[in-house]
Amino acid sequence: MQKNIHLKKEKILTGDRATGPLHLGHLVGSLQQRVLLQEQYDQTVLVADLQGLTDNGHNPQKVSSNILNVVADYLAVGINPSKTTICLQSAIPALSELTMYYSNLVSISRLERNPTVKNEIKSKEFGRSIPAGFLTYPISQAADITAFKATLVPVGEDQLPMLEQTNEIVRRLNHIAQREVLVECKALLSKVSRLPSADGKSKMSKSMGNTIMLGSSAKDISRSVKSMYTDPNHLCVNDSGQVEGNVVFTYLDAFHPDAEYVQSLKEHYQRGGLGDGATKKILEECLQEMLRPIRERREHYLSDKTELIAILKQGTDKARDESEAVLEDVKRAFGLNLF
Amino acid sequence: MQKNIHLKKEKILTGDRATGPLHLGHLVGSLQQRVLLQEQYDQTVLVADLQGLTDNGHNPQKVSSNILNVVADYLAVGINPSKTTICLQSAIPALSELTMYYSNLVSISRLERNPTVKNEIKSKEFGRSIPAGFLTYPISQAADITAFKATLVPVGEDQLPMLEQTNEIVRRLNHIAQREVLVECKALLSKVSRLPSADGKSKMSKSMGNTIMLGSSAKDISRSVKSMYTDPNHLCVNDSGQVEGNVVFTYLDAFHPDAEYVQSLKEHYQRGGLGDGATKKILEECLQEMLRPIRERREHYLSDKTELIAILKQGTDKARDESEAVLEDVKRAFGLNLF
C-alpha cells in the first residue's frame, strides 16, 4: 500500500438517512453523481440508520424497514458494490465510539449555533424537546466522515456548516495529539438545484406522497405526471404558456436525454400550440423508459434479500476494518490504547 | 444458565472516573463496600475513562495516565478480579453504541434539568461552553448500567437523579419494544457520609492536594495527619476540646478498628487533658498500619504493568461479551439486527 501511495484515490464519503425509499430528487441530486464518482474515487456510501433514528427514536420501524429499500435503490441505479463501499452505520461500532470522543471537543452552544441544525429544529417543531441525539448529530456526522479519512463530501450549500463543524473537530483533535491524526474534508458542491415535488409547491419528500419514487409503478408514474403542476394560465392549447415554474419542463430538463429537443418544446409551448397533455405525454414516456429498468432491477434485488444483505454486509465489513484503524489511531492520540 | 436462574446473583454496577489515583474518601465511600459486595453479588466495576474525558477532552493525559493507578488501587484494597469484573469503559464498544440509541430517547431540556449535572456544571464553571459529552453523560451512564443488566447501583443521595434518568430510558425503550428489553435499577444507598479533606474545609478531591491517597508514602501520611484540622479553640492540653468538626476524630471514627477506644478518646478530649499531638499520633499509627499493606500491594501491581493490563483485559473481555448481548437485544428491539 505504502509504495502505491501516489496512486491512492481520493476518498469520498456520502450516504442517506434510511427513512424511506429514494426518489427522483435523489437520482438527480446525488445518485447519478455517485455512479460517475465511483469510477474515479474511492467512494463509501453510508446507509445512515442511526442518523435516521435521531428524529425517529420512538418510531424505529420507519428506519429499520427502509434499510434494504435504500440498498436496492443504490444497486438499481448503478452504484456498483465492487467499486463503491456500501455500508450500514449501525453495524460499524467505531462510528459510535468516535462520536463519544468527539463530543467532548464540541460545546452545546456551538451545536445550537449550527445553521443547518437550527433550520431543521425549526421545521421539525421539536420545541423544547429536541432529542439529544438530534442536536448532536453533526458530531456523529463528523465521525462518519473522519472514520473513512474522507477528504471529499458531496453536499448542497445548506450542508456546508456540517463540514465546517467536522473540520473544527479535526483541527481540535490534531492539536491535542500534536500530529495529524484526522484529515480535513472539502465539499464537493452539487450543481443541481433541488427538484420540486410534482405539485410544484414543496420540496420533494420521502414522506409527503408528492413524489415519484425510484420504485414507483408505471401506473403511479403516469398518475403523478398527469397531476403535475404546469402553467395555471395556459388554458387553451393555442395560448402562450410559461415554462418557468412549470414542473413538467423542470423534469424534462432534468431527465430528458435530448436537451435540444426539450429546448424546441419550450419554444413551441411559449409561442402557443403545444398543450399540457402533449408535454406530459413526452415526459411520461421519458420517465417510464428511464425508470422501468431501475424498477425491475430494484424488484430483482428485493426479491432475494439474502443476496442484498450479503452485499451490504460485505461493504460493512470493509468499512469496519477501515474505521477501526482510524479509531485505533484516535485512541492512541488520547493515550487510550492499552490493549 | 437457564436451569440455574434461581441461583443467579443480583448484578451490581459501580466504578470510578479514571481522573486520578483513589484516596481515603474512596476507601470508606465505596471501596470497602465493594470488597464486601463481591462476596454476595455479581459485581462489575467500570474504570470510566470515557466519562473522565467528558470534562478533560483537551487534557486526555489526565485520564490515560490514571487508568492503571485505579486498577492497582482496586486490587490493593482487596477487590478480587476472580469475584469482581474489573473493566475499561473505552474498550467496550457496546457502551458507546447503546449511548447512541438512548440519546434519541432523551431531550436536551431533560438533561439540562438533571440536578446532579446542574450542580456539576455550576461548580466546573463551564459557562456557555459545556462540552456536549458532559451534558449528555447521564445517557452514557445509563448505557453503562443497562449494558450489564445491573439492578443495584451503589450511589450517594446526590446521584439519585442519574438513576432516575436511567430508569426513564429503560421504560421508554421497553415501551417502544413492547417487551422488557432492559431492566430498571435501584440505588444501593451508601450510609457513609463524605470524608472531609485533611484541612476540614473542602470535599476530598483527587486534584486538590488535601488528600491522603491509597498510595501515599509513610512520610506524606505523617505530614497530612500532622497538618490536620482539629479544634482551633483547643489551645492547651488541659482545655476541653471539641470533637464535632475535628477531622482527626472524623478519621478515627472512619478508620480505627476499635470504636470503644475511640469513644473513650473522645470523652477524654472533651473533658480536657488529651492533646492534639496525642490524638494525631494515634490516628497516624492507625492509618500507617492500614495503608502500609495497601501501598505495598499497589506498588507490587504497578511494578508489573503487563500483569495489571492482563487482569484489566480479562475483565474487559467478559464485560464486552455481556454488553454485546444486551446491545444485540436493543438492536433487535429497534429492528436493526440485519447481521
Side-chain angles (χ1 to χ4, degrees):
Chain A
M1 282 297 277
Q2 281 302 313
K3 276 186 202 163
N4 294 327
I5 203 150
H6 57 286
L7 296 173
K8 221 167 136 184
K9 289 178 181 174
E10 199 162 358
K11 184 92 209 200
I12 287 188
L13 187 278
T14 174
D16 297 280
R17 287 161 46 102
T19 49
L22 304 183
H23 52 61
L24 285 185
H26 294 104
L27 190 63
V28 289
S30 59
L31 297 175
Q32 287 173 337
Q33 188 192 30
R34 291 178 196 169
V35 174
L36 298 175
L37 291 172
Q38 68 187 349
E39 302 299 333
Q40 303 173 54
Y41 294 97
D42 181 1
Q43 178 173 254
T44 297
V45 178
L46 190 69
V47 181
D49 55 348
L50 287 183
Q51 196 186 318
L53 283 179
T54 59
D55 55 344
N56 292 291
H58 292 268
N59 183 20
Q61 220 252 328
K62 185 175 171 188
V63 175
S64 60
S65 65
N66 279 305
I67 292 170
L68 294 183
N69 282 332
V70 170
V71 178
D73 286 331
Y74 289 161
L75 300 176
V77 299
I79 294 178
N80 182 341
S82 70
K83 295 177 179 172
T84 291
T85 308
I86 303 173
C87 56
L88 183 63
Q89 192 182 27
S90 68
I92 307 172
L95 301 180
S96 296
E97 296 183 75
L98 287 172
T99 302
M100 292 290 280
Y101 290 103
Y102 299 171
S103 67
N104 304 320
L105 307 178
V106 182
S107 74
I108 288 289
S109 55
R110 174 67 183 85
L111 291 166
E112 286 170 341
R113 280 198 308 273
N114 185 312
T116 314
V117 178
K118 246 177 164 169
N119 283 336
E120 287 170 339
I121 285 171
K122 218 173 184 176
S123 76
K124 284 178 196 294
E125 296 177 0
F126 282 130
R128 293 277 299 152
S129 58
I130 312 153
F134 192 85
L135 184 67
T136 59
Y137 93 76
I139 302 175
S140 154
Q141 217 164 58
D144 299 341
I145 295 168
T146 55
F148 302 107
K149 299 217 158 198
T151 48
L152 277 181
V153 184
V155 287
E157 290 245 355
D158 57 330
Q159 295 290 311
L160 289 177
M162 305 309 258
L163 304 194
E164 195 34 57
Q165 176 69 83
T166 297
N167 287 339
E168 263 181 48
I169 290 171
V170 168
R171 289 191 292 270
R172 226 159 260 192
L173 193 133
N174 289 346
H175 175 75
I176 292 168
Q178 291 292 304
R179 64 181 171 92
E180 197 184 61
V181 180
L182 304 175
V183 289
E184 291 194 42
C185 65
K186 286 193 306 284
L188 189 67
L189 271 176
S190 167
K191 280 163 211 117
V192 184
S193 54
R194 239 181 245 283
L195 204 65
S197 60
D199 61 16
K201 280 180 196 157
S202 48
K203 168 181 147 179
M204 197 170 289
S205 152
K206 292 174 204 166
S207 54
M208 290 177 72
N210 55 11
T211 299
I212 301 174
M213 316 306 290
L214 298 182
S216 283
S217 66
K219 214 170 134 189
D220 283 345
I221 295 166
S222 177
R223 191 165 41 208
S224 276
V225 174
K226 284 200 175 77
S227 74
M228 220 167 238
Y229 181 83
T230 57
D231 172 3
N233 301 314
H234 187 238
L235 300 174
C236 301
V237 172
N238 289 330
D239 287 352
S240 161
Q242 203 175 321
V243 163
E244 292 74 34
N246 186 317
V247 178
V248 175
F249 281 104
T250 311
Y251 274 55
L252 281 170
D253 276 337
F255 298 108
H256 201 287
D258 188 343
E260 256 181 72
Y261 176 62
V262 172
Q263 185 53 35
S264 74
L265 287 177
K266 283 181 183 177
E267 284 160 14
H268 192 175
Y269 191 78
Q270 282 168 323
R271 71 177 176 262
L274 183 60
D276 287 320
T279 59
K280 285 182 173 176
K281 188 154 175 270
I282 296 163
L283 174 63
E284 191 194 328
E285 267 169 26
C286 151
L287 291 180
Q288 295 286 15
E289 200 177 319
M290 180 183 76
L291 288 175
R292 188 181 313 109
I294 292 178
R295 180 174 58 244
E296 282 169 8
R297 281 195 296 269
R298 198 179 179 278
E299 274 164 13
H300 161 77
Y301 286 116
L302 285 171
S303 72
D304 180 6
K305 295 209 169 143
T306 320
E307 195 201 340
L308 207 52
I309 291 172
I311 290 171
L312 183 59
K313 184 168 188 317
Q314 198 177 25
T316 303
D317 286 345
K318 183 165 174 273
R320 279 176 85 123
D321 290 346
E322 285 182 33
S323 59
E324 282 299 329
V326 172
L327 173 65
E328 277 313 302
D329 203 20
V330 167
K331 290 178 79 165
R332 203 173 300 124
F334 280 152
L336 297 176
N337 56 331
L338 268 184
F339 34 80
Chain B
M1 280 300 277
Q2 282 301 314
K3 275 187 202 161
N4 294 327
I5 202 151
H6 57 286
L7 296 172
K8 223 167 135 183
K9 288 177 182 174
E10 199 162 358
K11 185 91 209 202
I12 287 188
L13 188 279
T14 172
D16 297 280
R17 288 160 47 100
T19 49
L22 305 183
H23 52 59
L24 285 185
H26 294 104
L27 190 64
V28 289
S30 59
L31 298 175
Q32 287 173 338
Q33 189 193 28
R34 290 177 197 169
V35 174
L36 297 175
L37 290 172
Q38 69 187 347
E39 302 300 333
Q40 302 174 54
Y41 294 97
D42 181 1
Q43 179 173 254
T44 296
V45 178
L46 190 68
V47 181
D49 54 349
L50 286 183
Q51 194 185 320
L53 282 179
T54 59
D55 54 346
N56 292 292
H58 292 269
N59 183 21
Q61 221 251 327
K62 185 175 171 188
V63 174
S64 61
S65 65
N66 278 305
I67 291 171
L68 294 182
N69 282 333
V70 170
V71 178
D73 286 331
Y74 289 162
L75 299 177
V77 299
I79 294 178
N80 182 341
S82 71
K83 295 177 179 171
T84 292
T85 307
I86 303 173
C87 57
L88 184 63
Q89 193 182 26
S90 68
I92 307 171
L95 301 180
S96 296
E97 297 183 73
L98 287 172
T99 302
M100 292 290 281
Y101 290 104
Y102 299 171
S103 66
N104 303 320
L105 307 178
V106 181
S107 73
I108 289 289
S109 55
R110 174 66 183 86
L111 292 166
E112 286 171 341
R113 280 199 307 273
N114 185 311
T116 313
V117 178
K118 248 179 166 169
N119 283 337
E120 286 170 338
I121 286 171
K122 219 173 186 179
S123 75
K124 284 179 197 291
E125 297 177 1
F126 281 131
R128 292 278 297 155
S129 58
I130 312 155
F134 193 86
L135 184 67
T136 59
Y137 93 77
I139 302 175
S140 154
Q141 217 164 60
D144 299 341
I145 294 169
T146 55
F148 302 106
K149 299 218 158 196
T151 48
L152 277 180
V153 184
V155 287
E157 290 244 356
D158 57 331
Q159 295 290 311
L160 289 176
M162 305 308 260
L163 303 195
E164 195 34 56
Q165 176 68 83
T166 297
N167 286 339
E168 263 180 50
I169 291 172
V170 168
R171 288 191 292 268
R172 227 161 259 192
L173 194 134
N174 289 346
H175 176 75
I176 292 167
Q178 293 290 305
R179 64 181 171 90
E180 197 184 60
V181 179
L182 304 175
V183 289
E184 291 194 42
C185 64
K186 286 194 305 285
L188 189 66
L189 271 176
S190 167
K191 280 162 212 121
V192 185
S193 54
R194 238 181 245 282
L195 204 64
S197 61
D199 61 15
K201 281 180 195 155
S202 47
K203 168 179 148 181
M204 198 169 289
S205 151
K206 293 174 203 165
S207 55
M208 291 177 75
N210 56 11
T211 299
I212 300 174
M213 316 306 290
L214 298 182
S216 283
S217 66
K219 216 171 131 187
D220 283 346
I221 295 167
S222 177
R223 191 166 41 211
S224 276
V225 174
K226 285 200 175 77
S227 74
M228 220 167 238
Y229 181 82
T230 57
D231 173 2
N233 301 316
H234 187 239
L235 301 174
C236 302
V237 172
N238 289 329
D239 287 353
S240 161
Q242 204 176 320
V243 162
E244 292 75 33
N246 186 319
V247 178
V248 174
F249 281 103
T250 310
Y251 274 55
L252 282 170
D253 276 336
F255 297 108
H256 201 288
D258 188 344
E260 255 180 74
Y261 175 63
V262 173
Q263 185 53 35
S264 73
L265 288 177
K266 283 182 181 174
E267 285 160 13
H268 192 176
Y269 191 79
Q270 282 168 323
R271 72 176 176 261
L274 183 60
D276 286 322
T279 59
K280 285 181 174 177
K281 190 156 174 271
I282 295 162
L283 175 62
E284 190 194 329
E285 268 168 25
C286 149
L287 291 181
Q288 295 286 16
E289 200 177 319
M290 180 182 76
L291 289 175
R292 188 181 315 108
I294 292 178
R295 181 173 58 244
E296 283 169 7
R297 280 194 296 268
R298 198 177 178 279
E299 275 163 13
H300 161 78
Y301 285 116
L302 285 171
S303 71
D304 180 7
K305 295 207 170 145
T306 320
E307 195 203 338
L308 207 51
I309 291 172
I311 289 171
L312 183 60
K313 184 167 188 317
Q314 197 177 24
T316 302
D317 286 344
K318 182 165 176 272
R320 279 175 86 122
D321 290 346
E322 284 182 33
S323 59
E324 282 300 328
V326 172
L327 173 65
E328 278 313 301
D329 203 20
V330 167
K331 289 178 80 164
R332 202 174 301 124
F334 281 150
L336 298 175
N337 56 331
L338 268 184
F339 35 80

